[in-house]
Amino acid sequence: MSLGDEPGYPETGHTRTRLPDSDPYGGASRRGGRSSSRSLVTVVGVVVLLIAAIAFANRGGNDTPSNSTDTGSTGNGGGPATSSTAASGTKPVETKSDGIPTGYAHSAQGAQSAAANYATALGSDGMFITATRHSIVQTVADPSVINSMQSGFDADYSADFLKKAGLSTDGRAPTGSTFVNRTLPAGTKVTAYSDAAATVEVWCNGLFGMAGEKSTNPVTSNWFTITMKLNWSDGDWKVLESSQTTGPTPVSGDNPVSGTDEISKAVQEFGGFTYAR
């Protein structure tokens, strides 16, 4: 795979990870301070939004009868209902296998939670180490595709690919550097569901690169959507196959680029989550 290839979850179930094309640590400078007039406009804009939000929250609520029931099927103006995107608050799982949450509810909500957590596992730095990669596949894959999925991943994470990522042949980062590969789900939705199978889309932000003074692959972020086909197997949701498309991608903010030490420290100190719908 060449530098600049997009990350992917091909239908065979294996994935590739995008390597950045340029080095923001070496070539990008921190943004200068904004002008005072623009700062004032920004502050005024925030105040206006807060006032509008407070006014909306404090409405008398007379538009809706107190005994009405929200079916969750549609929202005002034909848009999605709040219930279609709001977190349920239900605990996703009670158990873990090799650190990966397992034992999901036999429901559409359980399938979404499974897809989010499996996307995180398959998009982690552990996939670059053979033993850890095999353990992840054994945990998340449907029994019918374990062998094909594992061989596909092994082919993807070749010695040549590890070298391009700045890693040794055993998937380790150079001394003094921190390798980063994280997948961060932002939301999920079900596009097909039955008692036996489910198709779930997971909208994600990804972090990938090497934090270090000599790194030629600095940590960058990208947005993508993973589509997972899941099978209900032996009392849990398991991955049959997955694919990936780019975006939806929001506009980048004005945050200054952090130095390598700050990125390395953040990766080492901030742990991950168990994702729930």
Side-chain angles (χ1 to χ4, degrees), residues 157-164 167-169:
Y157 292 93
S158 63
D160 183 58
F161 179 60
L162 296 178
K163 182 179 179 180
K164 290 178 179 178
L167 302 171
S168 64
T169 54

Side-chain angles (χ1 to χ4, degrees), residues 122-141:
L122 291 171
S124 67
D125 54 7
M127 293 294 290
F128 288 76
I129 302 172
T130 302
T132 307
R133 178 170 66 250
H134 289 178
S135 177
I136 291 173
V137 172
Q138 292 286 329
T139 299
V140 309

Side-chain angles (χ1 to χ4, degrees), residues 40-238:
L40 178 59
V41 171
T42 301
V43 171
V44 171
V46 171
V47 171
V48 171
L49 290 174
L50 286 174
I51 293 175
I54 293 172
F56 180 82
N58 290 331
R59 290 191 309 175
N62 294 328
D63 295 337
T64 303
S66 59
N67 61 348
S68 65
T69 301
D70 180 10
T71 62
S73 58
T74 59
N76 292 334
T82 302
S83 59
S84 68
T85 57
S88 68
T90 302
K91 189 173 182 179
V93 293
E94 300 290 342
T95 59
K96 288 188 176 183
S97 299
D98 292 328
I100 301 174
T102 56
Y104 297 92
H106 192 186
S107 64
Q109 179 177 301
Q112 290 179 80
S113 296
N117 286 291
Y118 292 164
T120 301
L122 291 171
S124 67
D125 54 7
M127 293 294 290
F128 288 76
I129 302 172
T130 302
T132 307
R133 178 170 66 250
H134 289 178
S135 177
I136 291 173
V137 172
Q138 292 286 329
T139 299
V140 309
D142 186 81
S144 65
V145 299
I146 285 179
N147 292 335
S148 61
M149 185 179 291
Q150 185 164 291
S151 61
F153 276 125
D154 287 344
D156 281 345
Y157 292 93
S158 63
D160 183 58
F161 179 60
L162 296 178
K163 182 179 179 180
K164 290 178 179 178
L167 302 171
S168 64
T169 54
D170 61 354
R172 307 291 178 179
T175 302
S177 297
T178 301
F179 178 61
V180 184
N181 187 47
R182 289 195 184 188
T183 296
L184 314 169
T188 61
K189 70 174 180 179
V190 173
T191 57
Y193 180 81
S194 70
D195 285 344
T199 301
V200 181
E201 293 185 3
V202 187
W203 182 33
C204 304
N205 179 229
L207 301 176
F208 180 83
M210 188 78 70
E213 291 298 330
K214 298 181 180 180
S215 172
T216 58
N217 298 320
V219 180
T220 59
S221 65
N222 57 85
W223 289 87
F224 48 92
T225 298
I226 300 170
T227 299
M228 280 198 177
K229 291 186 177 180
L230 305 174
N231 186 47
W232 183 254
S233 175
D234 195 23
D236 204 0
W237 292 108
K238 297 296 181 181

